[in-house]
């Protein structure tokens, strides 16, 4: 007799940052889940380095934002982006970005953090593991699944023994990255431009590089020469002198063995320098979106659902939004207060956000092209060289630099066609990638405002729904009993602050667990029960 089949409400495939974030969200919401990951979970060198403002808000919601701040990247180190001819050559322009110690931004109690994946993934891992009902299983590969009446049965292989086993789950979530086996097994295709190019990341260690090359500190250095914008240098870990040189396009014939690391490094540094090579990864720059984010029992999140050029840092950050959206919906269904329409709203809400990320990242990438002509004097010590550098520097900061000014993209996405958000008839605000405009219009992220030292409006939003009452204390009463009758977790919060009330533009604002506005009005609705049914997917 074989061992009894494991049964679990949610099976997550893939232990990258998005799978870990989903396991964390489910754990935090009290849902039992198993995450299987084919690798050992150790991140040797990072892909992802920037945890954006919205992702930091999710970390704040989970209570782990402090841990991100405690990672070893120095708090006072400027995050500036520097355009230059070479690291030893002329500085052309600088996009100023505050250091990590500036914790809050204008529109959020958090701010984008430099926290590379070899630090960030372990934080998510530890947090997910802190819940006894979450199991992270490494060295376990997903092979296939079959749908049953009550869920799915997945076949998985244990890497160490080679043994095959089955796991039954009510829901299967593919967080298994670009090549997603769950996506392929579900027959879901990809749409979009496809392959944009072949790139390489080369990691090296060299102490005192900025001093040797005579550059003021920054985090991201973009060499521009007669070949245009061709690469970037990022300081990954200043204390350990770890750097990454990324070459944007290497051609399809490049292999790990034939990459000329020394030549690329010489071109970026503008000098010969002996370094300790640490790691090298070839990767493909993609611009694609899944045709569907799944339905019924099987869903996709993260790179399994959208693959973007890293320009704009929208890959993992968009994936974390998927995890939080899907996580609270699964939790409410499994806890019995969510209805059948909830999971259908996942695709309707998140796929347009994925499309927006794919489109923006592709545009940012395109802004790096076409810089090769007329740059002959860029490195010349002459008046013509000075004039060209001034002109080009300005254009680089304003155009290529756009990928570093994305507060609108980070905070301004909204769920326009969501079946579980109730429009209030107000028109949408312009969707400007650079500038975020706070708005409590249904579908959007409920805006931040400080209530007191260290306490933000967004700190109210969490495991259940929150009704914000800016008017009479009686206004929320009918919600209390209707929510209780549905076993729907609802906090009612009275806010006596004219400025915040004006910003929210409604006496009553109903906010979902993910911090998005579901409904707002100046008066209680005629049928509170029908309203609550709609926003919880019944
Ligand atoms: C150079 C570079 C820089 C980047 N910088 C940023 C940045 O600053 N900010 C940002 O937001 N994004 C960035 N990204 C994008 C980011 O790295 C990805 O979007 C992110 O890693 C996606 O996370 P994921 O968990 O969806 O997928 P992945 O990280 O790809 O993880 C998927 C996991 O699934 C596992 N898996 C696959 N198949 C199976 C199977 N059959 N069974 C079990 N396990 C399986 C894999 O082993 C893997 O661990 C960058 C990407 C690159 C290439």
């Amino acid at each position: 007799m074989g061992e009894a089949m494991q049964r679990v409400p949610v099976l997550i495939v893939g232990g990258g940052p998005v799978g870990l974030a989903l396991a964390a969200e489910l754990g935090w919401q009290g849902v039992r889940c198993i995450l299987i990951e084919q690798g050992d979970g150790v991140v040797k060198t990072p892909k992802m380095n920037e945890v954006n403002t919205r992702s930091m808000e999710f970390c704040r919601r989970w209570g782990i934002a402090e841990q991100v701040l405690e990672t070893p990247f120095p708090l006072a180190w400027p995050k500036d982006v520097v355009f230059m001819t070479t690291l030893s050559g002329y500085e052309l322009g600088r996009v100023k970005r505050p250091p990590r110690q500036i914790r809050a931004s204008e529109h959020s109690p958090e701010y984008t953090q430099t926290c590379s994946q070899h630090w960030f993934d372990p934080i998510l891992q530890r947090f997910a593991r802190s819940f006894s009902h979450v199991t992270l299983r490494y060295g376990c590969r997903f092979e296939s699944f079959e749908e049953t009446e009550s869920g799915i049965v997945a076949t998985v292989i244990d890497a160490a023994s080679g043994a095959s086993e089955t796991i039954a789950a009510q829901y299967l979530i593919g967080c298994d990255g670009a090549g997603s086996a769950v996506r392929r097994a579900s027959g879901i295709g990809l749409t979009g431009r496809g392959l944009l190019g072949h790139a390489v990341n080369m990691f090296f260690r060299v102490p005192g590089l900025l001093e040797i090359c005579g550059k003021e500190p920054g985090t991201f250095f973009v060499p521009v020469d007669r070949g245009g914008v061709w690469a970037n240098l990022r300081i990954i870990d200043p204390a350990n002198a770890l750097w990454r040189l990324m070459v944007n396009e290497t051609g399809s014939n490049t292999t790990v063995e034939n990459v000329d690391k020394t030549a690329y490094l010489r071109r970026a540094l503008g000098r010969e320098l002996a370094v300790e090579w640490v790691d090298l990864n070839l990767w493909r720059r993609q611009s694609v979106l899944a045709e569907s984010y799944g339905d019924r029992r099987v869903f996709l999140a993260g790179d399994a659902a959208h693959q973007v050029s890293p320009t704009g840092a929208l890959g993992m950050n968009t994936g974390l939004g998927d995890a939080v959206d899907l996580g609270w919906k699964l939790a409410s269904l499994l806890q019995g207060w969510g209805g059948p329409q909830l999971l259908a709203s996942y695709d309707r809400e998140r796929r347009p956000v994925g499309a927006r990320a794919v489109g923006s990242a592709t545009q940012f990438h395109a802004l790096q092209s076409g810089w090769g002509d007329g740059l002959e004097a860029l490195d010349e010590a002459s008046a013509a060289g000075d004039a060209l550098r001034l002109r080009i520097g300005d254009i680089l900061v304003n155009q290529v630099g756009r990928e570093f000014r994305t507060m609108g993209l980070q905070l301004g996405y909204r769920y326009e066609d969501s079946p579980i958000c109730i429009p209030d008839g107000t028109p949408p605000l312009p969707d400007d990638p650079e500038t975020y405009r706070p708005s409590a219009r249904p579908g959007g992220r409920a805006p931040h405002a400080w209530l007191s030292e260290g306490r933000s409006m967004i700190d109210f939003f969490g495991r259940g729904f929150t009704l914000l009452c800016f008017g009479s204390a009686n206004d929320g009463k009918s919600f209390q009993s209707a929510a209780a009758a549905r076993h729907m977790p609802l906090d009612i919060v009275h806010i006596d602050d004219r400025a915040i009330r004006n910003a929210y533009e409604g006496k009553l604002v109903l906010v979902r667990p993910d911090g998005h506005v579901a409904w707002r009005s100046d008066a209680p609705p005629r049928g509170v029960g029908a309203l609550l049914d709609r926003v919880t997917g019944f």
Side-chain angles (χ1 to χ4, degrees):
M1 279 263 293
E3 284 183 23
M5 181 161 60
Q6 282 201 65
R7 294 180 188 277
V8 69
V10 184
L11 175 63
I12 302 168
V13 179
V18 176
L20 289 170
L22 180 58
E25 172 73 15
L26 290 173
W28 189 70
Q29 299 270 7
V31 174
R32 203 157 62 80
C33 62
I34 297 177
L35 177 153
I36 58 168
E37 161 60 46
Q38 63 188 2
D40 61 7
V42 176
V43 181
K44 188 178 167 205
T45 46
K47 288 192 286 184
M48 182 292 294
N49 302 283
E50 302 244 326
V51 181
N52 79 13
T53 303
R54 188 63 177 137
S55 295
M56 283 304 297
E57 290 183 348
F58 296 141
C59 291
R60 182 184 180 92
R61 177 170 169 275
W62 294 323
I64 58 173
E66 297 292 341
Q67 292 180 38
V68 177
L69 278 139
E70 283 161 10
T71 49
F73 198 94
L75 286 179
W77 193 278
K79 286 193 294 196
D80 293 2
V81 176
V82 183
F83 295 99
M84 63 205 190
T85 52
T86 66
L87 199 64
S88 309
Y90 294 99
E91 183 165 321
L92 301 168
R94 195 173 265 260
V95 178
K96 286 269 181 204
R97 297 197 303 167
R100 303 173 76 216
Q101 66 204 12
I102 307 294
R103 170 112 186 228
S105 50
E106 185 188 355
H107 296 300
S108 173
E110 300 292 339
Y111 200 76
T112 297
Q113 285 291 326
T114 302
C115 178
S116 298
Q117 207 166 347
H118 61 304
W119 295 319
F120 189 61
D121 281 19
I123 293 174
L124 292 175
Q125 258 168 22
R126 268 197 312 276
F127 181 54
R129 276 208 176 108
S130 70
F131 303 102
S132 58
H133 45 278
V134 173
T135 304
L136 304 184
R137 197 169 152 192
Y138 290 92
C140 182
R141 192 176 73 242
F142 166 88
E143 283 287 296
S144 61
F145 76 93
E146 276 175 27
E147 208 165 322
T148 64
E149 258 174 40
S150 56
I152 62 100
V153 174
T155 302
V156 306
I157 308 281
D158 182 82
S161 67
S164 160
E165 63 182 276
T166 48
I167 302 176
Q170 283 164 269
Y171 299 99
L172 169 69
I173 317 297
C175 300
D176 47 350
S180 175
V182 175
R183 188 186 65 231
R184 282 183 279 118
S186 311
I188 298 175
L190 295 170
T191 62
R193 296 258 312 263
L195 184 70
L196 298 180
H198 299 83
V200 62
N201 285 349
M202 294 167 265
F203 294 87
F204 61 94
R205 229 183 275 282
V206 59
L209 182 60
L210 289 172
E211 292 82 355
I212 294 168
C213 295
K215 279 280 166 304
E216 290 295 313
T219 295
F220 198 80
F221 297 85
V222 184
V224 185
D225 58 20
R226 292 171 191 202
V229 178
W230 65 277
N232 62 69
L233 275 162
R234 173 183 273 281
I235 185 150
I236 303 281
D237 181 357
N240 286 302
L242 181 65
W243 286 78
R244 180 199 73 197
L245 171 60
M246 178 201 291
V247 174
N248 294 343
E249 183 53 60
T250 61
S252 58
N253 293 326
T254 304
T255 62
V256 170
E257 289 74 31
N258 72 14
V259 176
D260 194 344
K261 301 191 287 281
T262 314
Y264 281 135
L265 189 67
R266 189 188 315 118
R267 183 174 169 196
L269 301 187
R271 64 171 70 216
E272 294 282 351
L273 194 67
V275 302
E276 177 199 346
W277 291 106
V278 174
D279 199 8
L280 189 147
N281 317 111
L282 300 172
W283 56 276
R284 290 152 61 89
R285 193 185 300 271
Q286 299 270 16
S287 176
V288 290
L289 184 69
E291 280 165 349
S292 155
Y293 276 25
D295 63 359
R296 287 171 46 80
R297 298 285 176 183
V298 185
F299 296 89
L300 305 175
D303 276 21
H306 42 76
Q307 292 150 47
V308 308
S309 166
T311 36
L314 295 167
M316 177 204 75
N317 287 311
T318 305
L320 256 52
D322 300 340
V324 171
D325 188 279
L326 189 54
W328 79 262
K329 290 172 181 173
L330 286 168
S332 63
L333 261 174
L334 291 162
Q335 289 160 2
W337 57 273
Q341 298 307 316
L342 263 193
L343 288 180
S345 74
Y346 173 62
D347 178 281
R348 296 270 293 277
E349 293 186 349
R350 293 303 303 174
R351 206 168 162 272
V353 179
R356 179 175 177 266
V358 170
S360 303
T362 307
Q363 275 176 18
F364 293 144
H365 174 60
L367 291 172
Q368 299 189 346
S369 305
W371 287 88
D373 293 336
L375 299 184
E376 290 75 14
L378 202 62
D379 213 13
E380 258 179 38
S382 66
D386 285 341
L388 182 63
R389 284 188 287 276
L390 204 63
R391 187 169 66 77
I392 293 295
D394 206 39
I395 302 175
L396 286 166
V397 167
N398 287 311
Q399 289 194 24
V400 180
R402 278 175 51 196
E403 66 164 290
F404 302 98
R405 295 185 293 268
T406 57
M407 203 52 93
L409 280 172
Q410 296 178 42
L411 301 182
Y413 59 87
R414 58 263 175 139
Y415 303 142
E416 287 299 332
D417 296 318
S418 171
I420 59 164
C421 292
I422 302 172
D424 66 355
T426 55
L429 293 174
D431 186 12
D432 178 351
E434 199 160 324
T435 309
Y436 166 71
R437 296 186 198 198
S439 164
R441 184 169 168 272
R445 160 191 168 274
H448 151 73
W450 288 117
L451 291 159
S452 58
E453 177 77 29
R455 178 108 175 109
S456 161
M457 278 297 287
I458 72 166
D459 295 334
F460 284 124
F461 316 136
R463 291 184 177 85
F465 274 73
T466 307
L467 181 70
L468 302 172
C469 296
F470 294 99
S472 141
N474 284 332
D475 285 352
K477 274 205 172 133
S478 54
F479 281 80
Q480 190 86 72
S481 48
R486 287 162 176 75
H487 306 289
M488 168 189 175
L490 176 74
D491 282 336
I492 300 190
V493 176
H494 294 275
I495 308 279
D496 186 14
D497 183 307
R498 186 182 292 267
I500 300 178
R501 174 185 158 165
N502 289 344
Y504 271 72
E505 294 179 302
K507 283 189 190 153
L508 290 166
V509 181
L510 185 63
V511 184
R512 316 187 321 179
D514 59 357
H516 281 254
V517 176
W519 169 87
R520 75 173 170 184
S521 176
D522 271 335
R526 235 175 278 144
V528 179
L531 173 83
L532 295 188
D533 283 346
R534 168 113 177 249
V535 299
T536 53
F538 283 99

